[in-house]
């Protein structure tokens, strides 16, 4: 386990070397070896560390490992230590980030081949993985915040990867500014927590929080957790700071896979789960998390049902699935939230990578209504979409998504939050509709486009096959148990549990059947009738535009900002200030001139005096 720091060091070395390649212009082959090789080395070290950790964990279930890197700040009682912390939570997500990160890098070596920014792409992604690992392994909030910020920077660079297009630059800036709001809130939370505990180390804060009874301290803690929640909302694209995620689809598809599965959006969920002991003391904030998750789940699912862009549908599905994780946190089902993070990463990476292959084969066409009948020409991609989509829709028994989602629904019932259960079931119904609408329109029906698809490359097929297997029930078998680090949850009796399972299965199957009847079972008569009616067209347009929140923000924030700048440009002080400067310049010039004249007069008087004294001495004095 002493090799733990190498999981960060190898991607960092890859980033530095690839950054230097801008000067030396290395070949694509060498770039691939460095870019993919550094992540594979990190994944290998992760395997070794994980094996050692589990050997210890089997003997001591509360086993934790810490590795001090260096002492950053030490001023009297205030000290910040850069140390890595490994427990069952961080080791599970470390495996996820390096494992899926490696598969996406391998796929990207096929997808991005021949691109002018090939080396730049891998340099950014290497730094992305390194910073995400720092975020996961940090043993204190300051170190975690450093990883958090670099993750935000990398997402900005990767979303605006094709920066020559103004639209891409705007999308990257939007993501950067929105997530900065959350970052500022986290800084506020750090100040509050340090004032409260006198330390920012997670274990020390956990120990001190057990003795908190003072009401004023709990109020301060309420502010701190509220600010932490704000940071998590921005990073995980939850309402109301979610609009950047949809526009982020302008980045290369492997980047979308990386952001939506193993990095970035999962960081917010991890932050809350890592500091769960603080949220347990603030039940109001905890309930707020559940409400935000439920609202995001429903709004994003409705929007996904009417989208035409294949990547935007998947982006909305990410928001809805993160909404499920927030829902689980809201009912204190911490382990269920993390399990859904892991399972979601499998099938979401699979769906995005498959979507990338479809887009490339269809000459960058993204409109699902312009595709059709692709299942015969792209059998592996069709199977990947089928398994990934079924897991996303929680198809019963055979998919991993069914088990992770079922745990969340059961937790809502056990906690007595019936409204959350209803939202979860409605979300499952809508999820089944929009993902199978996508599958039916793209892979079934009349062929509308001739794909030029020939994968036949190991870099393309292996990531899809591995992710496909983990999206089935096999993904559930490899999940670790985290019961020891979280408080025990209340579980339902077996009969009640079976009832919820049956209901959620029927709802999922009903959604798939409805998608089949509406978009594959015949002409879209019902859909066409609804979209052509006055109110139906208005509602669908409203959903397509993401419930008009972008327009609302534009009206409230951007227009207000522009008005303020216009007002400041006509500032009444604008004219007096130049006049004052002119006056100062005039006085400066006059004083300098008068001083020069005065010196001249003095010099002449000195000469006259010298002449008079000399004459006196010569003619009179002698």
């Amino acid at each position: 386990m002493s090799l733990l720091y190498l999981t960060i060091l190898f991607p960092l070395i890859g980033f530095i070397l690839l950054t230097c390649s801008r000067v030396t212009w290395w070949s694509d082959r060498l770039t691939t070896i460095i870019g993919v090789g550094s992540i594979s080395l990190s994944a290998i070290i992760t395997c070794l560390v994980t094996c050692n950790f589990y050997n210890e964990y089997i003997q001591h279930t509360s086993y934790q490992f810490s590795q001090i890197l260096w002492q950053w700040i030490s001023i009297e009682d205030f000290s910040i230590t850069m140390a890595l912390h490994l427990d069952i939570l961080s080791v599970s997500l470390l495996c996820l980030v390096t494992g899926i990160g490696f598969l996406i890098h391998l796929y990207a070596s096929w997808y991005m081949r021949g691109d002018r920014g090939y080396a730049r792409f891998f340099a950014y992604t290497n730094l992305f993985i390194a910073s995400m690992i720092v975020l996961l392994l940090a043993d204190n909030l300051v170190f975690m915040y450093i990883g958090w910020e670099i993750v935000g920077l990398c997402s900005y660079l990767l979303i605006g990867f094709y920066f020559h297009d103004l639209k891409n630059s705007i999308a990257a800036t939007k993501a950067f500014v929105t997530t900065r709001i959350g970052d500022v809130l986290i800084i506020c939370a750090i100040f509050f927590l340090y004032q409260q505990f006198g330390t920012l180390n997670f274990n020390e804060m956990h120990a001190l929080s057990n003795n908190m009874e003072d009401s004023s301290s709990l109020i301060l803690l309420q502010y701190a957790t509220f600010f932490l929640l704000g940071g998590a909302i921005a990073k995980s694209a939850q309402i109301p700071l979610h609009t950047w995620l949809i526009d982020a689809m302008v980045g290369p598809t492997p980047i979308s896979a990386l952001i939506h599965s193993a990095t970035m959006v999962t960081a917010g969920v991890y932050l809350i789960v890592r500091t769960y002991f603080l949220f347990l003391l603030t039940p109001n904030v905890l309930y707020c998390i559940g409400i935000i998750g439920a609202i995001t789940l429903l709004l994003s699912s409705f929007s996904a049902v009417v989208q035409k862009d294949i990547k935007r549908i998947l982006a909305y599905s990410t928001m809805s699935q993160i909404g499920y994780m927030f829902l689980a946190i809201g009912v204190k089902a911490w382990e269920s939230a993390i399990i859904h993070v892991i399972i979601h990463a499998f099938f979401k990476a699979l769906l995005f990578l498959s979507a990338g292959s479809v887009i490339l084969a269809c000459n960058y066409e993204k409109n699902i209504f312009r595709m059709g009948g692709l299942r015969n020409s792209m059998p592996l991609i069709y199977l990947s979409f089928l398994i990934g989509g079924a897991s996303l829709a929680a198809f019963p028994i055979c998919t991993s998504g069914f088990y992770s989602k079922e745990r969340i629904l059961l937790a809502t019932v056990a906690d007595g939050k019936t409204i959350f259960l209803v939202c979860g079931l409605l979300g499952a119904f809508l999820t089944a509709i929009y993902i199978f609408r996508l599958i039916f329109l793209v892979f079934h029906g009349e062929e509308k486009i001739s794909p030029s698809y020939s994968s036949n490359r190991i870099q393309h097929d292996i990531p899809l096959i591995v992710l496909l297997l983990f999206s089935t029930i096999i993904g559930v078998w490899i999940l670790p148990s985290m019961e020891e680090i979280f408080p025990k949850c209340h579980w339902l009796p077996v009969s009640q549990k079976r009832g919820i399972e049956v209901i959620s299965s029927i709802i999922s199957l009903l959604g798939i059947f409805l998608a089949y009847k509406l978009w594959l079972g015949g002409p879209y008569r019902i859909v066409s009738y609804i979209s052509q009616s006055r109110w139906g067209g208005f509602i669908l347009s409203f959903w397509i535009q993401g419930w008009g929140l972008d327009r609302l923000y534009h009206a409230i924030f951007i227009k207000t900002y522009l008005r303020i700048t216009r007002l400041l440009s006509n500032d009444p002080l604008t004219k007096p200030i130049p006049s004052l400067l002119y006056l100062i310049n005039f006085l400066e010039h006059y004083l300098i001139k008068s001083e020069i004249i005065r010196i001249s007069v003095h010099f002449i008087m000195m000469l006259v005096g010298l002449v008079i004294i000399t004459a006196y001495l010569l003619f009179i004095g002698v």
Side-chain angles (χ1 to χ4, degrees):
M1 275 183 285
S2 58
L3 301 177
L4 184 59
Y5 70 97
L6 291 177
T7 56
I8 302 169
L9 188 62
F10 280 127
L12 271 183
I13 291 173
F15 162 70
I16 293 167
L17 292 176
L18 291 170
T19 306
C20 294
S21 74
R22 293 287 297 168
V23 180
T24 56
W25 294 106
W26 290 339
S27 66
D28 282 0
R29 184 181 177 81
L30 184 58
T31 300
T32 306
I33 292 172
I34 295 171
V36 181
S38 60
I39 303 300
S40 66
L41 287 173
S42 181
I44 291 169
I45 296 295
T46 300
C47 291
L48 295 174
V49 168
T50 305
C51 289
N52 287 334
F53 179 83
Y54 271 101
N55 285 337
E56 297 289 339
Y57 189 72
I58 290 170
Q59 299 171 19
H60 314 285
T61 50
S62 59
Y63 178 73
Q64 298 181 2
F65 172 76
S66 290
Q67 185 175 44
I68 296 175
L69 301 179
W70 72 89
Q71 185 82 26
W72 183 30
I73 299 173
S74 180
I75 304 171
E76 296 181 352
D77 295 336
F78 178 72
S79 65
I80 299 292
T81 304
M82 295 301 176
L84 305 178
H85 177 75
L86 206 61
D87 59 8
I88 189 64
L89 172 62
S90 55
V91 81
S92 303
L93 293 180
L94 177 65
C95 292
L96 180 77
V97 170
T98 54
I100 290 192
F102 168 68
L103 293 174
I104 292 174
H105 273 70
L106 191 61
Y107 176 90
S109 67
W110 169 83
Y111 186 90
M112 297 295 292
R113 69 189 187 283
D115 194 287
R116 288 183 60 188
Y118 192 70
R120 183 163 56 91
F121 174 85
F122 281 109
Y124 292 164
T125 52
N126 272 222
L127 183 62
F128 204 6
I129 295 291
S131 54
M132 191 66 197
I133 296 174
V134 169
L135 191 154
L136 294 176
L137 297 182
D139 82 329
N140 63 73
L141 263 175
V142 174
F143 198 19
M144 175 190 265
Y145 185 74
I146 292 172
W148 183 279
E149 279 295 329
I150 303 175
V151 163
L153 172 67
C154 292
S155 68
Y156 166 75
L157 295 172
L158 287 166
I159 293 167
F161 184 74
Y162 298 118
F163 57 87
H164 297 102
D165 189 337
L166 180 62
K167 185 180 70 175
N168 299 346
S169 298
I170 291 173
T173 306
K174 185 178 180 180
F176 190 76
V177 171
T178 309
T179 52
R180 288 293 75 73
I181 296 170
D183 296 350
V184 171
L185 294 176
I186 288 184
I187 290 176
C188 296
I190 288 174
F191 287 143
F192 274 112
L193 290 173
Y194 186 76
Q195 184 180 355
Q196 181 64 44
F197 295 108
T199 178
L200 294 171
N201 182 283
F202 293 119
N203 281 342
E204 290 173 6
M205 284 195 293
H206 190 182
L208 291 169
S209 67
N210 292 328
N211 301 322
M212 286 187 66
E213 294 177 356
D214 184 17
S215 59
S216 61
S217 301
L218 289 175
I219 291 172
L220 202 64
L221 193 61
Q222 191 135 338
Y223 287 126
T225 51
F226 182 75
F227 288 138
L228 284 177
L229 171 61
I233 286 172
K235 208 65 144 188
S236 294
Q238 295 293 285
I239 283 178
L241 300 175
H242 65 289
T243 54
W244 66 269
L245 189 66
I246 307 304
D247 292 346
M249 291 300 99
V250 296
T253 304
I255 289 311
S256 303
L258 199 57
I259 289 177
H260 288 249
S261 61
T263 61
M264 190 74 176
V265 295
T266 58
V269 178
Y270 176 74
L271 173 69
I272 297 177
V273 174
R274 172 56 74 192
T275 55
Y276 77 93
F277 48 89
L278 302 176
F279 286 91
L280 281 176
L281 296 171
T282 54
N284 293 336
V285 179
L286 207 55
Y287 188 61
C288 221
I289 295 173
I291 292 173
I292 289 169
I295 294 173
T296 308
L297 165 62
L298 293 181
L299 296 192
S300 55
S301 297
F302 277 114
S303 289
V305 169
V306 295
Q307 298 297 320
K308 297 177 182 176
D309 187 309
I310 188 169
K311 286 183 71 176
R312 288 176 77 89
I313 294 171
L314 296 180
Y316 274 113
S317 81
T318 299
M319 284 171 52
S320 70
Q321 297 308 303
I322 301 285
Y324 271 111
M325 297 165 204
F326 270 58
L327 205 63
I329 291 171
V331 294
K332 301 186 279 293
W334 315 101
E335 188 183 5
S336 301
I338 291 298
I339 284 175
H340 199 53
V341 166
I342 296 171
I343 296 295
H344 171 257
F346 293 147
F347 63 70
K348 189 49 62 69
L350 175 65
L351 287 170
F352 263 112
L353 296 186
S354 304
S357 299
V358 170
I359 292 167
L360 215 56
C362 296
N363 198 23
Y364 296 97
E365 179 60 62
K366 295 179 184 173
N367 190 331
I368 57 174
F369 285 90
R370 293 178 186 163
M371 303 174 187
L374 297 181
R375 68 181 186 281
N376 294 325
S377 50
M378 306 178 77
L380 176 61
I381 300 302
Y382 174 57
L383 184 63
S384 300
F385 254 102
L386 214 53
I387 299 295
S391 194
L392 174 64
F395 191 88
I397 311 298
C398 60
T399 62
S400 54
F402 169 74
Y403 296 97
S404 61
K405 207 172 283 185
E406 174 220 346
R407 287 179 65 103
I408 295 173
L409 296 177
L410 291 174
T412 59
V413 180
D415 202 56
K417 304 288 191 306
T418 311
I419 185 68
F420 287 171
L421 172 68
V422 173
C423 292
L425 289 173
L426 182 56
F429 179 66
L430 293 169
T431 303
I433 291 177
Y434 68 69
I435 192 62
F436 273 88
R437 164 182 175 261
L438 185 157
I439 293 171
F440 292 146
L441 287 173
V442 172
F443 295 99
H444 291 261
E446 179 189 352
E447 189 172 321
K448 298 175 184 173
I449 193 166
S450 298
S452 54
Y453 174 72
S454 60
S455 65
N456 196 25
R457 297 290 293 267
I458 196 168
Q459 302 102 305
H460 173 272
D461 292 350
I462 283 183
L464 294 181
I465 293 169
V466 172
L467 291 169
L468 188 150
L469 290 174
F470 286 143
S471 297
T472 63
I473 195 172
I474 296 172
V476 181
W477 296 342
I478 63 167
L479 290 175
S481 170
M482 301 179 200
E483 290 179 354
E484 298 300 326
I485 59 171
F486 298 122
K488 301 288 181 191
C489 290
H490 300 292
W491 290 109
L492 297 175
V494 176
S495 58
Q496 204 170 349
K497 184 182 168 188
R498 292 283 176 261
I500 299 293
E501 286 174 355
V502 169
I503 291 171
S504 66
S505 301
I506 291 172
I507 284 177
S508 173
L509 294 173
L510 269 177
I512 296 170
F513 178 72
L514 186 61
Y516 171 80
K517 292 301 288 181
L518 288 177
W519 286 283
L520 197 62
Y524 322 134
R525 281 175 296 186
I526 300 175
V527 179
S528 301
Y529 175 77
I530 294 172
S531 61
Q532 288 170 9
S533 67
R534 186 179 173 186
W535 285 104
F538 173 76
I539 292 171
L540 292 183
S541 169
F542 198 54
W543 290 353
I544 287 175
Q545 294 172 18
W547 297 80
L549 287 175
D550 257 335
R551 285 190 176 185
L552 183 68
Y553 293 163
H554 186 82
I556 294 176
F557 299 111
I558 297 177
K559 282 191 174 179
T560 306
Y561 173 76
L562 291 176
R563 283 195 198 101
I564 292 171
T565 54
R566 243 179 260 122
L567 183 66
L568 291 177
S569 67
N570 297 321
D571 191 341
L573 293 176
T574 304
K575 289 183 181 176
I577 286 176
S579 302
L580 184 63
L581 290 175
Y582 176 77
L583 179 64
I584 292 171
N585 281 334
F586 173 76
L587 290 174
E588 181 187 14
H589 179 73
Y590 174 78
L591 290 173
I592 291 172
K593 194 174 177 181
S594 65
E595 195 66 27
I596 291 171
I597 291 171
R598 190 177 299 171
I599 291 170
S600 303
V601 171
H602 289 170
F603 184 69
I604 292 170
M605 292 302 292
M606 285 171 64
L607 283 177
V608 171
L610 185 63
V611 169
I612 292 172
I613 293 170
T614 306
Y616 176 79
L617 293 174
L618 287 175
F619 300 105
I620 301 174
V622 176

